[in-house]
Amino acid sequence: MRKGFIAAALALAIALPALGGDMVERINDDGFGNPNNIGIVHMEVHEGRLYAGTWNPTDGCLVYVSEDGERWEPVNAAGFGDVGNQAVVRMRSVGEYLYVGTWNNRTGGQLWRARQPDAFPDWEQITGDGFGNPANLTLCSIRPFGDWLYVGLFNPSQGEEVWRSHDGTRGSFVKSFDEGLGITGATDASVLYVWKDHLYLGTESAQPPYPGCDVWRTAGPDESGEETWTRVGEAGFGDTKSFNAFRMIEFRGRLYVGTWGFGASSLTTHLSPKGTTVWRTSGEGEGPFTDWEQVNEDGFGNVGYDSTLAMEVVGDTLYVGGFGDHGFLFATEDGTTWREITADGFLETSEFGIHALGELNGDLYIGIQNWTKPAELWGLRGTQ
């Protein structure tokens, strides 16, 4: 392991009491020592270490690793050698490999993998140029399911796609579906999640006629290789202003889904504002499920909290983080009663909000996205 890089702001770490008795600690506020890292977009545990992927439009994205959540080291060349790879949008631990999906609006998103790295391992590029289509700008979701590895793509001009592979190697992927499953305006396979013997997909509809987000599921391909996706939720959960089912997680035996509601954004200026919503289901019915239940007020009572970007379970608590006119972090122990996590300095000057949550050794780590200044990493202690 290289010893040369230690997060410079470690010496400045400040523990602050938060509502509910948790301790919020600033771990670094200098983009892991690189001011061009303006966001921490995703975090993933792989073989006992926590990895963080950044948004860096200047140098190209970077991946950092930590064994304790305090000391961080880079493990890849910036942008994997391509400055067009501006962001690590998704990481997934699959067997002995860590897979990384990038955002590249120049030549299309890329998929990379490496075994647990010590320092600058030999990363292997699995796909480039958006699986052969530069219009696939982002590899935004990665999930193993059964005998397959699935990857979901963001394609704003032609519709979202999902691909799958038996072994995750170069040249092995086949298309599960394309063109947004036939839904006009569907653009993004935002999240893939395994729950109750099915693979679930949450989608975004960021193009006209803005039909609202969707939740789909599949049992995988049959013996002939044919695969069926079934819609299990009403479009937009009944309101097309909820246009992105961006996060999914299991909590207390139910599936939870967090949405974007960009009603007042430039994307959907014809709609009135709508805050983020969180929904849950026990999976009753064959599709759509009959027991979907909204478990928060729109925007947690603030219409400006319009988008959930991260969900994480630590111990008996579900955490939901996101952005809007201000970053936010909420927690619940029962799935319906929410408390906001606040502390002096926490999220007060963020220009975007929370983009990533990760758990290591019972502590919650919080990645904050900015636009004109370095990313921040915070930790929430006392979560168990």
Side-chain angles (χ1 to χ4, degrees):
M1 177 72 72
R2 293 194 326 125
K3 304 297 184 183
F5 184 90
I6 299 177
L10 176 60
L12 303 176
I14 302 173
L16 303 167
L19 183 66
D22 300 308
M23 296 301 294
V24 181
E25 178 186 47
R26 181 187 290 113
I27 297 172
N28 79 63
D29 58 4
D30 66 350
F32 298 110
N34 182 338
N36 294 327
N37 287 323
I38 60 172
I40 301 170
V41 182
H42 193 241
M43 289 187 274
E44 176 80 355
V45 173
H46 177 62
E47 296 191 356
R49 298 176 180 181
L50 183 61
Y51 290 78
T54 72
W55 190 326
N56 187 320
T58 302
D59 310 317
C61 60
L62 286 157
V63 178
Y64 293 81
V65 65
S66 178
E67 294 183 349
D68 59 9
E70 303 288 346
R71 298 168 177 82
W72 293 83
E73 300 179 1
V75 296
N76 74 314
F80 297 95
D82 180 354
V83 71
N85 286 321
Q86 295 189 22
V88 172
V89 178
R90 192 67 63 243
M91 295 183 287
R92 190 67 61 209
S93 177
V94 183
E96 62 181 345
Y97 288 100
L98 179 69
Y99 284 81
V100 174
T102 72
W103 173 53
N104 188 322
N105 63 358
R106 300 181 183 182
T107 60
Q110 298 176 9
L111 181 66
W112 293 77
R113 75 175 186 179
R115 292 181 176 89
Q116 179 169 324
D118 290 323
F120 293 89
D122 292 328
W123 285 90
E124 177 187 5
Q125 185 175 357
I126 305 304
T127 66
D129 302 333
F131 283 89
N133 181 358
N136 289 322
L137 304 182
T138 308
L139 276 65
C140 48
S141 50
I142 307 169
R143 186 70 63 175
F145 174 62
D147 296 329
W148 299 90
L149 178 65
Y150 284 76
V151 176
L153 308 177
F154 169 58
N155 186 323
S157 60
Q158 299 165 349
E160 72 216 13
E161 299 180 5
V162 170
W163 292 67
R164 66 176 189 263
S165 165
H166 265 308
D167 57 13
T169 58
R170 187 175 184 88
S172 66
F173 281 84
V174 296
K175 191 178 293 184
S176 174
F177 73 80
D178 59 9
E179 298 183 349
L181 281 165
I183 305 298
T184 302
T187 55
D188 194 352
S190 300
V191 58
L192 291 164
Y193 193 80
V194 177
W195 183 64
K196 288 189 175 182
D197 300 322
H198 283 81
L199 178 67
Y200 286 78
L201 167 69
T203 72
E204 176 186 24
S205 59
Q207 293 291 344
Y210 306 109
C213 63
D214 273 311
V215 178
W216 302 79
R217 75 173 183 177
T218 180
D222 59 24
E223 293 181 357
S224 69
E226 295 297 319
E227 186 164 21
T228 300
W229 290 84
T230 303
R231 180 185 270 160
V232 297
E234 188 179 1
F237 294 99
D239 187 340
T240 57
K241 288 180 287 186
S242 291
F243 77 98
N244 195 348
F246 193 73
R247 282 291 173 266
M248 294 182 185
I249 199 164
E250 181 178 1
F251 181 61
R252 299 190 181 278
R254 299 183 181 184
L255 181 66
Y256 283 70
V257 180
T259 73
W260 293 9
F262 263 154
S265 76
S266 59
L267 178 67
T268 53
T269 52
H270 64 291
L271 299 174
S272 58
K274 182 177 180 65
T276 185
T277 58
V278 179
W279 296 78
R280 73 180 182 186
T281 180
S282 296
E284 294 181 5
E286 290 299 318
F289 294 150
T290 59
D291 66 335
W292 283 108
E293 173 189 15
Q294 185 175 344
V295 294
N296 74 322
E297 293 183 73
D298 288 6
F300 295 96
N302 177 358
V303 70
Y305 290 167
D306 53 37
S307 299
T308 291
L309 274 86
M311 305 175 85
E312 187 66 67
V313 173
V314 183
D316 296 326
T317 304
L318 169 62
Y319 295 90
V320 175
F323 74 96
D325 57 13
H326 192 275
F328 62 84
L329 180 64
F330 284 84
T332 181
E333 281 72 40
D334 62 9
T336 58
T337 305
W338 299 89
R339 55 188 173 89
E340 188 167 10
I341 305 295
T342 61
D344 290 342
F346 178 56
L347 292 171
E348 290 181 356
T349 61
S350 70
E351 300 169 320
F352 187 84
I354 293 173
H355 213 148
L357 295 174
E359 182 271 336
L360 183 68
N361 300 326
D363 291 324
L364 182 72
Y365 292 88
I366 304 159
I368 293 179
Q369 172 84 42
N370 290 308
W371 293 121
T372 64
K373 60 183 182 178
E376 304 170 35
L377 179 68
W378 292 70
L380 184 61
R381 312 303 187 185
T383 53
Q384 286 189 338

